[in-house]
Amino acid sequence: MSCTYSCSKLILFTVNLVVSICSLAVLVICSLALANMNQLYNLKNLNTDLPVPLALWAIIAVAGVAFVLSFIGCCGAISENSCLLYLFATLLSIVLVMQLVVIGFVYYQQDNFRAQINSVLNSTLHDYPTSKDPIVRKTWDTIQTDFECCGINGPEDWKHVFNNDTLPNSCCKAIAEGSSCHARNDDAPPYLSGCLEVINSKLDPVFISVLFVCVAEIFGIIIACCLSSSISAQYRTV
């Protein structure tokens, strides 16, 4: 009994440590994803149209709460306080449900998100060489440079804009000053990945990390309830 009890405390402490680390990782990944999406906001006002940025903010908020709760769980395990452990399990269950709802919402809306991103990129691609608004050119250059991508689906998209093999200089990685970027550059070949694919791939680590946190939270809830029951039983036998 004593060995099982001690092991439960150690496991709960370890699980809460994992939850805190994973929650911190989610906070960092979601913050980076939001920073990347800010580039798209410069092309078009998307903050009222896209559900995913709002969902990312929700995930950040819930992950922050989970990070705080993990410390409560650690304190409950160390102090052997059954009330604190029950409180931790209850609050963590609420956070878990909220996380699953947000993940489900984002998963359900992912096709809509990709369609809107594709629409924004398509509507501004042809404005790159002619637009009087410098933000269009600057934002496309920033997206292609930061994401290391070219065009919407690849360098071929720019053929319909320039009617030749010319590409924006931001499509080539290490182009010399004063040189031009072309589809068949040997010295500075263009990025082959399309920006739509790269932007969509930035969301995958978010979902994976949140799901990993959810699994760790389930273990934490179960172990906290078992440990709390064990502590209560010990006090009743005393």
Side-chain angles (χ1 to χ4, degrees):
M1 177 68 179
S2 178
C3 180
T4 303
Y5 180 76
S6 300
C7 289
S8 297
K9 286 180 60 177
L10 180 60
I11 293 173
L12 181 60
F13 185 85
T14 303
V15 168
N16 278 289
L17 182 62
V18 171
V19 170
S20 63
I21 294 174
C22 291
S23 297
L24 185 61
V26 170
L27 290 172
V28 173
I29 293 172
C30 287
S31 298
L32 291 175
L34 282 172
N36 290 331
M37 288 181 186
N38 284 337
Q39 302 299 333
L40 294 172
Y41 296 163
N42 292 330
L43 288 176
K44 187 178 181 180
N45 186 18
L46 297 178
N47 53 341
T48 57
D49 296 331
L50 288 178
V52 170
L54 297 178
L56 288 176
W57 278 114
I59 292 175
I60 288 175
V62 175
V65 175
F67 182 78
V68 174
L69 286 179
S70 63
F71 285 101
I72 296 178
C74 290
C75 293
I78 294 173
S79 63
E80 301 182 0
N81 189 320
S82 61
C83 293
L84 197 59
L85 287 172
Y86 273 128
L87 175 64
F88 162 75
T90 302
L91 294 178
L92 194 59
S93 298
I94 296 173
V95 169
L96 176 63
V97 171
M98 292 173 62
Q99 286 176 331
L100 293 176
V101 169
V102 172
I103 292 174
F105 174 75
V106 173
Y107 182 81
Y108 177 76
Q109 291 286 345
Q110 63 178 332
D111 291 338
N112 179 38
F113 169 72
R114 291 190 174 98
Q116 290 192 37
I117 293 295
N118 189 29
S119 175
V120 171
L121 295 177
N122 270 300
S123 65
T124 56
L125 183 74
H126 291 272
D127 295 334
Y128 182 89
T130 60
S131 178
K132 296 179 181 179
D133 187 357
I135 292 180
V136 173
R137 178 185 289 267
K138 180 180 179 181
T139 302
W140 261 107
D141 287 339
T142 302
I143 290 174
Q144 292 183 141
T145 300
D146 291 350
F147 291 167
E148 296 187 349
C149 58
C150 185
I152 300 172
N153 299 301
E156 298 81 10
D157 293 333
W158 291 109
K159 290 182 180 179
H160 306 292
V161 177
F162 294 107
N163 297 318
N164 52 43
D165 66 347
T166 300
L167 300 173
N169 284 353
S170 54
C171 273
C172 292
K173 185 174 183 179
I175 190 168
E177 186 176 353
S179 301
S180 298
C181 182
H182 297 277
R184 298 180 179 178
N185 271 16
D186 293 329
D187 297 334
Y191 301 119
L192 299 179
S193 300
C195 293
L196 180 62
E197 175 188 354
V198 175
I199 292 173
N200 287 331
S201 68
K202 295 295 181 181
L203 295 175
D204 293 338
V206 175
F207 301 139
I208 294 173
S209 59
V210 173
L211 286 174
F212 191 82
V213 171
C214 289
V215 172
E217 287 173 349
I218 292 173
F219 279 104
I221 293 169
I222 294 172
I223 296 171
C225 290
C226 293
L227 185 59
S228 181
S229 298
S230 178
I231 293 173
S232 298
Q234 282 188 347
Y235 278 116
R236 284 195 298 267
T237 57
V238 174

